[in-house]
Amino acid sequence: MIEQRGKAAAVICTEQFASSARMTAQTFGMADFPYAEILHPIGRVTEQELNERAEVALPQVVAILEKD
């Protein structure tokens, strides 16, 4: 994991993959690993919708990175 190398990291996933994110974190012994969650999908949305998702993700990512 990148954080184990001393680099700050933040994972962003869509709500559809939140359970997979939690299970992956548990598998690697990091059950409390925080991640930012945004609406699904991101691949077939307008630029405006993608910008809105980014605006939702930004404060979550900042909070994750400032946690250390």
Side-chain angles (χ1 to χ4, degrees):
M1 309 285 305
I2 197 165
E3 284 195 337
Q4 292 171 334
R5 295 181 181 180
K7 304 290 182 186
V11 173
I12 302 170
C13 69
T14 64
E15 60 191 357
Q16 184 168 336
F17 295 100
S19 63
S20 293
R22 282 189 298 275
M23 289 182 355
T24 299
Q26 288 176 342
T27 298
F28 286 96
M30 303 173 78
D32 294 338
F33 191 81
Y35 59 89
E37 189 174 321
I38 59 173
L39 292 176
H40 188 83
I42 59 170
R44 294 177 301 228
V45 296
T46 66
E47 186 174 342
Q48 175 63 34
E49 290 170 312
L50 191 56
N51 286 338
E52 290 168 2
R53 285 164 173 74
E55 288 177 11
V56 168
L58 181 60
Q60 295 177 69
V61 169
V62 169
I64 290 167
L65 296 177
E66 288 182 339
K67 187 177 179 183
D68 291 331

